[in-house]
Amino acid sequence: MAINQITVFLENKAGALLNVTKLLSENKVDLRAINIAETADYGLLRLITADNAAAEKVLKAENLIFTETPVLAVAIDDKPGALSSVLEVLAKENIDLHYIYSIFGNKDAKAYMIMQLQDVDKAAELLKQNGMTIADACDLT
């Protein structure tokens, strides 16, 4: 089951991240996951929120450029080797992993790997068949 991640394009300057997180906070949009990648000129702020429709409304009102992308959240045990077992399943089927980031310290003692893949649906089915848990946005609290 895919989760929709919002990617916001930000100017790479002091306060840009603060402006977005403050806007979302003021509009009661709860963040489930956050990641930022940057270049010299711009940043890519990746968000999973509790309410994407509300987040997108806020971002549009501020004329911020963003996209929505399906990603997988795979629950793994928070121990050495757990990620490798997920990656082995994907590699055996030649599924390309575009990027990954993680969320640790959840109430169920699991780590969640947020993955953007070449074929999200195929990857989800394959991982489930191999006994792995695909989480939804509610699981990321």
Side-chain angles (χ1 to χ4, degrees), residues 27-111:
N27 287 275
K28 309 285 190 259
V29 176
D30 192 19
L31 299 178
R32 298 281 190 245
I34 186 170
N35 175 272
I36 196 160
E38 44 71 39
T39 69
D41 299 323
Y42 65 92
L44 297 174
L45 173 61
R46 296 181 174 123
L47 303 169
I48 297 174
T49 73
D51 186 348
N52 278 6
E56 290 177 7
K57 183 178 177 183
V58 170
L59 297 171
K60 282 180 189 173
E62 293 296 316
N63 294 316
L64 291 168
I65 299 168
F66 65 92
T67 61
E68 198 170 34
T69 307
V71 294
L72 284 184
V74 182
I76 63 170
D77 292 329
D78 192 1
K79 66 180 186 179
L83 176 59
S84 292
S85 62
V86 171
L87 298 176
E88 281 180 25
V89 170
L90 298 172
K92 282 181 186 175
E93 292 297 320
N94 202 32
I95 295 177
D96 188 23
L97 175 66
H98 297 163
Y99 59 81
I100 185 172
Y101 58 97
S102 59
I103 305 169
F104 295 96
N106 291 291
K107 63 183 175 202
D108 59 4
K110 297 284 185 184

